[in-house]
Amino acid sequence: MKVLILGATGFIGFPAAEAFVRAGHIVYGTTRSARSAEQKLSPKEIIPVVADPSSEEGMAEWGKIAARCDIVVDALSANGAKTAIDTFHNYLQYVNRPKGSPKPTYIYTSGLWINSRGYGGLDKWTDERQPTSTYNEGVQWRPLIEIPVLESEKVHGIVIRGAVVYGREGSAVATSIFDRALEASKTEKKIFETVYQNESRVASIHTDDMADLYVRVAERGPLLRGQVFMASNQATERLTDVLDAVVRVSGCNGYKAKTPRSAYEEAWASTTLIKPSLGDALTGWKPKKMSLVDGMDIYWSSYLANKNLNE
């Protein structure tokens, strides 16, 4: 198949693009940087599409390529519905296959915080078969794009909701925890501040395992249209266990709670109790990487190495 990854140099998009290449597909990937195209995408056999994916010129550039592809994956970062909706509508403008032809598949990358119900008993647990919640105010825009994708008659629309993604550069784990710990390790007190609650439990997934789910779902697009898949490990982890592991590997002496100052930080400290099953039931997908706590030595070292390379 021909695959287009929107956001192919990103923390989620790049591993997904690599996974599609390994699976034998022809893979295109958008990047804003000619340097990234030359140094990051082309060496991995990903065909670069150098364009700002949200500008008028860029949308026209990738839209023409998307029209020739069987799969389009939106792995662009988004802080609101407008950009994601504009991206999807732009794609639909270019999908003009003859009547009776196979429909292409469109995968939108969402997030698990829209399923969070807080910490508690069985009533707080969720999976792919449960509706979204209103628990986290900062992600209430997600359904505004998810619903049009899932209900589209023009494409096979699928949503993948990612948990807190870890591995490699660290993503949100880096900005919320690793960066703070690294900075604190160079101070006299060696204590870092981060947002957490004592009862917080986090659902997480390694970026390579999430990439594997993209491939499995995309290859079965016509069968899985209208479905939501949760990309998460089978077990959640206590956020303080994650922080304790970071203290151990970073050389810090400890951490203290920081007051949430945004809806994002409120969501970060919220608990997501989840046991995903649809990916396994329909595609045989099973995460293989060590959990964030168990593999902390590896993930901290990878974070440091990637940070040094990027600097």
Side-chain angles (χ1 to χ4, degrees), residues 230-247:
M230 293 183 172
S232 176
N233 290 327
Q234 283 290 303
T236 62
E237 298 179 284
R238 196 179 181 94
L239 186 51
T240 51
D241 286 343
V242 175
L243 297 176
D244 288 340
V246 172
V247 168

Side-chain angles (χ1 to χ4, degrees), residues 172-204:
V173 175
T175 56
S176 298
I177 303 176
F178 286 0
D179 288 349
R180 300 175 185 275
L182 180 60
E183 183 179 350
S185 70
K186 301 173 184 177
T187 66
E188 183 178 353
K189 291 185 178 180
K190 299 183 183 298
I191 295 176
F192 63 94
E193 289 188 347
T194 187
V195 176
Y196 72 94
Q197 297 174 355
N198 288 329
E199 70 273 12
S200 297
R201 298 194 66 86
V202 60
S204 59

Side-chain angles (χ1 to χ4, degrees), residues 68-230:
R68 305 196 300 267
C69 290
D70 307 295
I71 308 290
V72 173
V73 176
D74 179 358
L76 296 167
S77 60
N79 295 316
K82 185 180 185 309
T83 300
I85 291 173
D86 289 347
T87 298
F88 183 53
H89 286 172
N90 182 69
Y91 174 57
L92 293 180
Q93 289 179 5
Y94 286 90
V95 178
N96 190 26
R97 294 192 171 188
K99 202 169 184 180
S101 297
K103 295 179 181 178
T105 296
Y106 188 91
I107 301 177
Y108 171 66
T109 305
S110 189
L112 277 191
W113 288 338
I114 192 62
N115 282 92
S116 298
R117 287 166 167 78
Y119 183 78
L122 294 179
D123 59 311
K124 305 300 183 183
W125 282 86
T126 187
D127 66 6
E128 294 96 337
R129 297 160 181 79
Q130 293 288 318
T132 58
S133 78
T134 58
Y135 186 78
N136 282 318
E137 180 182 349
V139 293
Q140 291 308 302
W141 57 271
R142 289 288 193 186
L144 298 178
I145 174 60
E146 288 187 0
I147 292 172
V149 170
L150 295 172
E151 294 184 347
S152 175
E153 294 296 327
K154 205 168 184 180
V155 300
H156 299 310
I158 299 171
V159 170
I160 292 181
R161 295 185 189 142
V164 171
V165 187
Y166 62 90
R168 302 192 184 191
E169 298 96 330
S171 189
V173 175
T175 56
S176 298
I177 303 176
F178 286 0
D179 288 349
R180 300 175 185 275
L182 180 60
E183 183 179 350
S185 70
K186 301 173 184 177
T187 66
E188 183 178 353
K189 291 185 178 180
K190 299 183 183 298
I191 295 176
F192 63 94
E193 289 188 347
T194 187
V195 176
Y196 72 94
Q197 297 174 355
N198 288 329
E199 70 273 12
S200 297
R201 298 194 66 86
V202 60
S204 59
I205 189 68
H206 193 283
T207 184
D208 289 343
D209 284 327
M210 189 168 178
D212 181 41
L213 180 60
Y214 278 112
V215 175
R216 290 171 178 267
V217 167
E219 290 178 338
R220 298 164 176 80
L223 300 177
L224 304 180
R225 62 171 301 174
Q227 297 293 337
V228 175
F229 293 87
M230 293 183 172

Side-chain angles (χ1 to χ4, degrees), residues 6 30-33 49-62 76 83 90:
L6 300 174
T30 66
T31 175
R32 292 179 173 87
S33 167
V49 181
V50 182
D52 179 346
S54 59
S55 71
E56 184 176 345
E57 298 79 8
M59 293 176 91
E61 179 70 20
W62 69 256
L76 296 167
T83 300
N90 182 69

Side-chain angles (χ1 to χ4, degrees), residues 232-298:
S232 176
N233 290 327
Q234 283 290 303
T236 62
E237 298 179 284
R238 196 179 181 94
L239 186 51
T240 51
D241 286 343
V242 175
L243 297 176
D244 288 340
V246 172
V247 168
R248 178 178 61 80
V249 298
S250 66
C252 287
N253 293 326
Y255 51 87
K256 60 182 180 179
K258 174 188 172 186
T259 302
R261 296 180 179 177
S262 66
Y264 171 84
E265 290 187 341
E266 292 279 1
W268 171 261
S270 69
T271 289
T272 304
L273 297 176
I274 182 170
K275 192 175 186 301
S277 60
L278 206 59
D280 183 11
L282 299 183
T283 74
W285 177 73
K286 291 181 176 66
K288 299 175 182 177
K289 294 281 188 170
M290 296 177 73
S291 70
L292 183 51
V293 170
D294 292 344
M296 185 59 72
D297 295 84
I298 298 171

